[in-house]
Amino acid sequence: MPTSTHGPARTGTQTVIDRLVESNRKYAEGFTDPGMGARPVLGVAVVACMDARIDLHAALGLELGDCHTIRNAGGVVTDDAIRSLTISQRALGTRSVVLVHHTGCGLESLTEDFRHELEREVGQRPAWAVEAFQDVDQDVRQSMRRVRTSPFLPHTGDVRGFVFDVTTGLLREIDPGADAQP
């Protein structure tokens, strides 16, 4: 496992965060308050992997204000994802859930050994599971089941899961009832 350098990532003399803050200043110069509320216009929440190769809004044709976006490693429906979906549905009116995993996910190459190595390195056991998987289709099915069976979510009738192909940009829908393919 790589060790931390405990220093900022730099591009030249500027840190990466400095560059982001400068970009924000430029963005804010032309910013106009869109006058919208926190409720998504389309009434949908999207749970997706944090992978930097996925421009989620562009891939789904979404505009600012259309959806709630929840991203984490693998796009896995964890307790924290359920927390966000619960707030999204109960406080902000969403009724549909879209799950987006993808090909070539880093979680396919990890195991719970990652967590054990981390514990050995820092001397504390992480409270979270890695949620690694070997079959992306099956993991999408598991995430759909977690959403559909959560007692906290009142709207579980419109839950669909997909695998985004990072080489073609296409979504492939996963049948929630199908067995894993070899």
Side-chain angles (χ1 to χ4, degrees):
M1 182 179 323
T3 57
S4 172
T5 61
H6 297 289
R10 294 192 176 274
T11 57
T13 59
Q14 213 180 27
T15 69
V16 172
I17 296 173
D18 289 337
R19 191 186 95 205
L20 297 175
V21 171
E22 180 59 30
S23 293
N24 172 257
R25 285 188 191 108
K26 291 175 184 171
Y27 168 78
E29 288 172 7
F31 182 78
T32 305
D33 179 359
M36 60 180 66
R39 289 178 176 266
V41 173
L42 299 179
V44 64
V46 180
V47 180
C49 185
M50 65 187 192
D51 193 293
R53 297 171 290 180
I54 304 170
D55 184 348
L56 194 60
H57 281 72
L60 299 177
L62 295 167
E63 300 292 331
L64 183 66
D66 281 349
C67 73
H68 284 155
T69 306
I70 303 158
R71 294 185 83 157
N72 66 24
V76 177
V77 175
T78 60
D79 286 345
D80 195 58
I82 293 291
R83 170 189 162 269
S84 294
L85 288 169
T86 301
I87 292 166
S88 178
Q89 287 190 359
R90 291 181 175 268
L92 296 163
T94 61
R95 299 181 70 84
S96 300
V97 178
V98 175
L99 306 172
V100 181
H101 287 38
H102 66 92
T103 58
C105 185
L107 284 186
E108 291 176 291
S109 63
L110 292 177
T111 66
E112 284 300 313
D113 287 342
F114 177 86
R115 191 167 167 249
H116 301 304
E117 291 167 11
L118 187 59
E119 180 181 2
R120 282 192 292 278
E121 179 184 326
V122 302
Q124 183 176 343
R125 177 180 294 234
W128 40 264
V130 174
E131 296 276 354
F133 54 87
Q134 294 180 352
D135 182 332
V136 67
D137 291 19
Q138 193 57 31
D139 200 63
V140 171
R141 285 185 196 96
Q142 176 176 294
S143 288
M144 283 190 279
R145 275 192 303 276
R146 286 178 176 174
V147 170
R148 288 184 174 139
T149 61
S150 173
F152 306 110
L153 299 173
H155 307 291
T156 59
D158 190 17
V159 178
R160 292 171 64 186
F162 300 85
V163 174
F164 176 86
D165 187 314
V166 298
T167 60
T168 67
L170 289 172
L171 289 175
R172 178 173 51 81
E173 188 160 7
I174 301 303
D175 179 349
D179 290 331
Q181 300 299 317

